[in-house]
Amino acid sequence: VPDQNMSRDRFPFPYQPYDIQEQFMQSLYSALDQGKVGIFESPTGTGKSLSLICGALSWLSDYEERRRQEAAALLQEGEAALSVSTAQSSTPSSSAEPDWITDFVQKKAERDLVTKLKSCEDDEAFKLLQLSKEDQSETQGDQEDEELIIAEYESDDESKSKSSEIFGCSQIYYCSRTHSQLAQFVHEVQKSPFSKDISLVTLGSRQNLCINEEVRRLGSIQRINDRCMEMQKNKHEKQHHEEGVKRKRGPAKSVCPYNKALALQQMRDEVLGTVHDIEQLLKLGRETHSCPYYATRLAIPPAQLVVLPYQMVLHEATRKATGVQLKGQVLIIDEAHNLSDTLSCIHSAELTGTQLCRAHSQLSQYADRYKSRLKAKNLMYIKQILFVIEGLVRVLGGKVGQNPQIFLFLLGTEMLTINNFLFKAQIDNINLFKVLQKYFEKSMISRKVSVRMYSSINASFRHFASADQQGSVEAEKVLSASPMMQVEGFFMALTNSNTDGRVVVHRQGTLSEGSVKFLLLNPAVHFAQVLKECRAVIIAGGTMQPVSDFKQELLFSAGVGDERIAEFSCGHVIPPENILPLVLCSGPSGQELDFTFQNRDSPRMMDETGRILSNICNVVPGGVVCFFPSYEYSRQIISHWEANGALARLANKKKIFQEPKKANQVEQVLSEFSRCIQRCALDSSGLTGALLFSVVGGKMSEGINFSDDLGRCVVMVGMPYPNIKSPELQEKMSYMDKHLPHSGGRSPGQALIENLCMKAVNQSIGRAIRHRGDYSSIVLCDRRYSRPATLSKLPTWIKDRTSTYTNFGPAFAALRKVRIKSKPVLVHVGKEGASSRISNISMLKLIREAATTKISGRALA
């Protein structure tokens, strides 16, 4: 961290920023310069992405300029000192040392300084040449099958570390949860004032970046990885054959035509020269006939801004394999409201009985095939891995070699500490640390077995699969992904501290249905290394509440002191009258709204919910989005409404849509939902828009925008508490109660349950307000939302405007007032500084109806 802090009053921005954006950028700049861990909360729709981009890249530009100035000054001083030393070399010395020794030592030190400083100014061509040499050296392998034999060699991440050190540039790593969020961020960079000056690379998996159609058709990410590595192996064998090495008999093996050194280097240069998103990388790869996956990896060391998914930066093994070097760099974690859960999921691991049996079979075949060429110690490690796998199968009640479909008469779930699990599996005498370090990491045995088995199975079934359709189906089953990588991941999970995790053993009757799962209880233990390595870490989100619990679980537990933490939180840019959050404690007939697990299934509660929605649809124009706490309850209540006619009454006012079961259908449903709302604004069909049924935590509760007329009202039915009976959740609560401090008269475990619920609520209700001119109402249907402790967990900009209604009548009147007062407004849309008119749907028609609108179900009270 620099001794003298930098500051900046103005930031390059594509338009006149809001006040809160300027405050955000100034706080961000300061946090980066001082090496802080920053928690930044900025509601969705306030331009958070642009603020992150312009604030962070302004700091990077200033920081790099200061480094250049400091290096130039040191270089000038060194050269001046060297010239003075040369001029004084003939002057007699009074030192006790002989003159020639003093002169030699002084000149060597000064020349070393100048040489070191000048080396920092070497041109890009030299650096790229160094990488090119390393790329070519990586293509040189051992002869024939010997490249798959275990050997002691330098790991990939070590060579990547050296190539990264060549550049020595400051980098910003930006990560988010999904590829669509990363693409949106890259688009914002392209619109920013830095788009022409920044070198940016977007990273992704082979599944996202592969342009080889033969490989893409395989579908699953593991099979794509295995096939890619097999083609790399075939490429090495082809090179040896061309060099005069005799090749084994058999048909020619396919290689990837997109993995050629010169083409990769050309694409790398193109990537660094212009900002590309994933789709543009794919297009560029096809144009240059070069693999985007490997070209982007080559572009990591010289890039200033690296955009990548969570997994690639938060998981240490993946980070090393990718070539990501966090030491002294800046990390920005966006959409971080569920960071704790994300870290736990990334570092958890699960193996099914089927996977264990297949892994044992594949590794046994590998050992038998190469036993004559395996060193004794490597054969010993293979036998140890097989022994551990046998122990895991034994825990599930089975035996290696038996039919995994045989019924074992064992049912139930057991939660064990890591040590107790190792004892139960009778593998406590195996040093898993040594197996992982000496065998998995150095020999990359998981990939080698995966590639070898994929290659042999693929060859065996190629003619069988093409014979008939049934054969094709069988081949698909056999060619499923090798489980060796999952086995390695589970072994790695078992090396966690005994207190930091648990192993869940699920016995389901047959070995194939059973599973062993590692559950990480302390995510801070893995986040600590990231926090230690990085110069600064920025944790950003639309809502980060409650911040105190977040700091306790992830920062304080990771050893971060309070003095290193910086916090920033801002309100929304919308006027107060543009949002109406309501807590409904009772419905139109007076039925108390209590959607606890015991009460929510009652016909009276479901009937009342139908009446509430009917009234809302009578007065709210455009789109209404209704969130249910679970898929099961969504199916149950909609079926009930179909039976009693409530669904038909809703359909008379708004066309009804439901969240699709498959993720690839979401875009189609949203498109139809939007078109329906647009049509209703123009025709006289009697419909006032559309109603979308969705689920909290589902496909439409995060990352989907219901802006403007798509979401004029968001209805939250009940409170989406997690399943308290889940063994995993109970163990997590117990761990937190034991290791985290209690505060506010509640245990950390109880706070976890409340936080999980309200984080999900906040993500769902935040879908509606997306820009300064937007407006919407939020209806929270459950009396429990009125509790002060629950209200306090809403985002501040929503909480401060929330009203609680014990009776439905006044709440309905408030909704009608918003509907009648809403007018077309001229709003600043922000991106290009332009303005646009936001119009309501058939507003005049609805206002004329307002005087005669009655509360549906009032007569039933």
Side-chain angles (χ1 to χ4, degrees):
V1 178
D3 296 330
Q4 184 178 0
N5 293 333
M6 300 185 298
S7 62
R8 182 188 270 256
D9 296 326
R10 299 183 64 83
F11 295 85
F13 216 73
Y15 57 88
Q16 180 60 41
Y18 304 134
D19 290 342
I20 61 172
Q21 288 178 313
E22 289 185 335
Q23 295 164 14
F24 185 108
M25 290 185 286
Q26 288 171 352
S27 298
L28 175 63
Y29 190 102
S30 176
L32 295 179
D33 198 53
Q34 297 174 28
K36 299 281 189 179
V37 176
I39 303 174
F40 280 68
E41 182 181 52
S42 182
T44 304
T46 57
K48 170 169 61 72
S49 294
L50 263 179
S51 299
L52 281 170
I53 292 165
C54 295
L57 295 184
S58 292
W59 172 83
L60 181 64
S61 174
D62 293 350
Y63 180 69
E64 286 293 288
E65 178 59 30
R66 189 170 73 175
R67 283 184 62 186
R68 283 191 289 269
Q69 292 175 359
E70 290 173 349
L74 281 173
L75 181 60
Q76 189 174 8
E77 290 177 12
E79 289 177 335
L82 187 59
S83 62
V84 170
S85 174
T86 303
Q88 295 177 347
S89 60
S90 59
T91 306
S93 173
S94 59
S95 171
E97 296 285 354
D99 292 345
W100 68 270
I101 293 180
T102 305
D103 187 48
F104 174 81
V105 172
Q106 184 178 356
K107 285 184 177 180
K108 184 179 185 303
E110 290 164 349
R111 286 195 181 95
D112 288 346
L113 172 63
V114 174
T115 301
K116 184 177 180 180
L117 290 168
K118 282 185 175 180
S119 67
C120 297
E121 298 180 344
D122 285 345
D123 59 21
E124 190 75 5
F126 171 76
K127 299 170 183 177
L128 294 179
L129 178 62
Q130 291 296 108
L131 277 186
S132 301
K133 289 179 179 177
E134 290 178 8
D135 298 340
Q136 293 168 4
S137 68
E138 286 180 1
T139 64
Q140 298 173 0
D142 298 328
Q143 294 182 359
E144 298 184 354
D145 288 323
E146 289 185 3
E147 71 164 302
L148 292 180
I149 301 302
I150 294 99
E152 301 285 342
Y153 63 83
E154 184 179 60
S155 64
D156 284 350
D157 50 278
E158 287 172 353
S159 62
K160 287 171 182 172
S161 174
K162 290 178 182 177
S163 67
S164 179
E165 289 171 2
I166 293 173
F167 290 89
C169 63
S170 300
Q171 292 179 301
I172 295 177
Y173 288 91
Y174 171 91
C175 66
S176 194
R177 194 176 63 87
T178 66
H179 283 285
S180 62
Q181 289 167 343
L182 295 176
Q184 186 177 354
F185 178 82
V186 173
H187 294 159
E188 294 295 322
V189 175
Q190 290 171 331
K191 298 171 187 175
S192 77
F194 296 89
S195 60
K196 305 296 183 184
D197 305 317
I198 191 73
S199 57
L200 178 150
V201 59
T202 304
L203 303 183
S205 64
R206 285 182 175 90
Q207 191 175 38
N208 290 105
L209 290 173
C210 179
I211 57 174
N212 188 325
E213 291 304 322
E214 175 198 340
V215 179
R216 287 173 65 88
R217 282 197 297 268
L218 296 173
S220 78
I221 187 168
Q222 186 60 56
R223 288 175 60 191
I224 289 174
N225 287 342
D226 290 347
R227 178 59 175 151
C228 178
M229 289 184 290
E230 182 200 13
M231 296 177 97
Q232 306 313 311
K233 178 182 74 71
N234 295 342
K235 176 185 175 184
H236 298 163
E237 290 181 353
K238 181 180 179 182
Q239 288 174 341
H240 301 325
H241 178 60
E242 290 171 351
E243 292 167 4
V245 179
K246 185 177 179 181
R247 186 172 63 83
K248 287 186 176 182
R249 291 182 179 180
K253 298 178 180 179
S254 62
V255 299
C256 184
Y258 301 100
N259 190 9
K260 297 178 180 178
L262 287 177
L264 289 176
Q265 292 162 24
Q266 178 188 347
M267 183 174 176
R268 174 193 59 198
D269 296 343
E270 292 275 355
V271 168
L272 293 171
T274 308
V275 176
H276 297 81
D277 63 14
I278 291 286
E279 293 301 320
Q280 292 165 333
L281 285 173
L282 294 174
K283 183 173 182 285
L284 178 62
R286 293 186 181 101
E287 290 173 352
T288 60
H289 216 64
S290 176
C291 174
Y293 177 79
Y294 284 108
T296 52
R297 297 298 179 93
L298 290 178
I300 295 174
Q304 294 172 291
L305 178 57
V306 182
V307 179
L308 68 174
Y310 280 163
Q311 173 83 13
M312 288 187 178
V313 74
L314 297 178
H315 188 266
E316 184 179 10
T318 307
R319 193 162 66 238
K320 288 182 177 180
T322 307
V324 170
Q325 302 290 324
L326 293 180
K327 184 69 174 178
Q329 309 293 20
V330 169
L331 173 63
I332 298 176
I333 305 172
D334 203 359
E335 303 298 335
H337 50 277
N338 284 330
L339 181 57
S340 176
D341 294 337
T342 299
L343 284 162
S344 296
C345 288
I346 287 175
H347 292 92
S348 294
E350 186 172 13
L351 284 172
T352 65
T354 300
Q355 288 176 318
L356 287 167
C357 291
R358 286 204 356 255
H360 191 279
S361 173
Q362 291 181 5
L363 189 56
S364 298
Q365 292 178 54
Y366 178 84
D368 289 342
R369 180 168 184 175
Y370 298 112
K371 60 184 177 182
S372 62
R373 285 183 285 174
L374 286 169
K375 294 179 181 178
K377 66 173 182 178
N378 291 326
L379 191 59
M380 176 193 72
Y381 284 129
I382 288 180
K383 289 181 178 179
Q384 287 185 345
I385 295 173
L386 290 170
F387 180 78
V388 172
I389 294 175
E390 290 166 7
L392 301 183
V393 171
R394 201 161 43 241
V395 165
L396 292 174
K399 293 181 180 179
V400 169
Q402 77 178 67
N403 186 346
Q405 303 299 327
I406 294 177
F407 193 75
L408 301 176
F409 300 98
L410 287 173
L411 294 170
T413 299
E414 188 176 10
M415 183 78 66
L416 300 167
T417 64
I418 297 175
N419 287 346
N420 287 343
F421 175 77
L422 296 176
F423 289 135
K424 192 175 186 70
Q426 300 175 24
I427 56 175
D428 52 295
N429 59 325
I430 301 296
N431 187 338
L432 290 176
F433 288 97
K434 196 168 184 179
V435 171
L436 285 165
Q437 181 184 7
K438 297 290 186 182
Y439 199 66
F440 277 107
E441 291 182 9
K442 287 200 172 184
S443 71
M444 298 178 70
I445 185 62
S446 298
R447 293 195 175 187
K448 292 178 180 180
V449 173
S450 296
V451 171
R452 174 53 58 193
M453 296 310 300
Y454 186 97
S455 180
S456 60
I457 293 172
N458 193 24
S460 300
F461 278 86
R462 194 164 285 144
H463 70 280
F464 177 64
S466 59
D468 54 54
Q469 190 166 356
Q470 179 62 31
S472 180
V473 172
E474 292 300 320
E476 283 293 311
K477 292 180 181 178
V478 177
L479 285 173
S480 58
S482 168
M484 284 304 300
M485 297 294 287
Q486 284 80 4
V487 170
E488 180 182 354
F490 191 79
F491 279 24
M492 191 175 296
L494 292 179
T495 62
N496 278 275
S497 167
N498 187 54
T499 58
D500 289 338
R502 297 290 183 270
V503 180
V504 187
V505 180
H506 290 291
R507 301 184 185 93
Q508 302 294 330
T510 66
L511 177 58
S512 63
E513 294 175 315
S515 67
V516 286
K517 178 180 180 181
F518 173 78
L519 175 68
L520 181 68
L521 300 177
N522 180 19
V525 71
H526 291 286
F527 196 42
Q529 186 63 29
V530 172
L531 295 167
K532 181 181 178 182
E533 287 188 13
C534 289
R535 170 201 173 92
V537 177
I538 303 300
I539 303 165
T543 172
M544 297 299 297
Q545 300 299 325
V547 173
S548 58
D549 294 343
F550 180 89
K551 289 194 295 185
Q552 187 63 60
E553 184 180 4
L554 275 187
L555 301 185
F556 296 154
S557 297
V560 176
D562 199 37
E563 70 283 352
R564 196 190 169 194
I565 300 174
E567 296 181 42
F568 176 86
S569 180
C570 64
H572 213 291
V573 293
I574 61 168
E577 62 271 14
N578 280 29
I579 182 171
L580 178 65
L582 307 173
V583 175
L584 281 183
C585 297
S586 62
S589 70
Q591 170 70 44
E592 184 180 58
L593 299 180
D594 183 5
F595 289 90
T596 55
F597 189 76
Q598 295 81 5
N599 298 330
R600 68 183 188 183
D601 294 341
S602 71
R604 288 189 306 168
M605 192 67 69
M606 292 189 284
D607 289 342
E608 194 75 341
T609 307
R611 297 187 193 103
I612 292 170
L613 272 181
S614 181
N615 280 285
I616 290 173
C617 290
N618 279 341
V619 298
V620 174
V624 174
V625 184
C626 178
F627 285 101
F628 296 106
S630 67
Y631 284 103
E632 180 185 356
Y633 190 63
S634 172
R635 288 190 292 268
Q636 183 179 353
I637 197 169
I638 291 174
S639 297
H640 180 81
W641 289 343
E642 284 180 327
N644 69 5
L647 198 65
R649 289 192 291 274
L650 288 171
N652 288 333
K653 277 294 180 183
K654 294 187 184 290
K655 183 174 175 62
I656 296 175
F657 294 84
Q658 293 188 41
E659 180 176 308
K661 295 179 181 179
K662 296 181 180 179
N664 59 7
Q665 297 173 337
V666 169
E667 189 174 341
Q668 179 185 348
V669 171
L670 285 175
S671 179
E672 293 175 1
F673 178 68
S674 176
R675 283 198 297 268
C676 175
I677 292 171
Q678 292 171 359
R679 285 197 305 268
C680 291
L682 302 174
D683 61 29
S684 56
S685 62
L687 294 176
T688 63
L691 170 63
L692 174 63
F693 293 134
S694 190
V695 175
V696 176
K699 305 173 187 68
M700 293 182 171
S701 64
E702 185 175 345
I704 304 295
N705 294 342
F706 295 109
S707 61
D708 300 322
D709 287 331
L710 297 185
R712 290 305 179 202
C713 181
V714 176
V715 181
M716 181 66 61
V717 177
M719 298 187 71
Y721 282 107
N723 180 12
I724 192 68
K725 295 182 180 179
S726 161
E728 289 91 341
L729 184 58
Q730 289 181 347
E731 197 66 28
K732 176 77 172 179
M733 293 172 64
S734 175
Y735 175 86
M736 295 181 73
D737 287 344
K738 184 176 180 180
H739 294 90
L740 297 182
H742 295 228
S743 63
R746 55 171 191 168
S747 70
Q750 292 171 331
L752 172 67
I753 296 296
E754 189 82 15
N755 292 343
L756 289 173
C757 170
M758 292 308 295
K759 282 180 181 178
V761 169
N762 292 340
Q763 280 301 303
S764 298
I765 63 180
R767 301 298 94 204
I769 302 292
R770 311 304 290 184
H771 59 80
R772 188 172 191 171
D774 211 350
Y775 63 89
S776 180
S777 53
I778 298 170
V779 182
L780 304 174
C781 299
D782 199 309
R783 64 173 182 81
R784 292 175 293 174
Y785 282 111
S786 63
R787 299 176 301 196
T790 302
L791 283 173
S792 68
K793 288 183 168 55
L794 290 171
T796 303
W797 64 279
I798 294 180
K799 176 187 65 178
D800 292 345
R801 304 168 190 179
T802 300
S803 301
T804 298
Y805 292 90
T806 55
N807 298 313
F808 184 77
F812 183 71
L815 282 172
R816 286 181 57 191
K817 286 180 182 179
V818 170
R819 193 276 306 270
I820 295 172
K821 290 164 73 173
S822 297
K823 299 176 182 179
V825 292
L826 193 68
V827 298
H828 176 67
V829 297
K831 293 177 181 175
E832 279 78 33
S835 298
S836 64
R837 187 168 294 273
I838 305 299
S839 59
N840 295 332
I841 296 177
S842 306
M843 187 56 66
L844 292 176
K845 180 178 71 173
L846 292 173
I847 291 176
R848 283 195 295 269
E849 294 175 0
T852 57
T853 301
K854 296 181 180 179
I855 300 177
S856 301
R858 178 66 62 83
L860 300 176

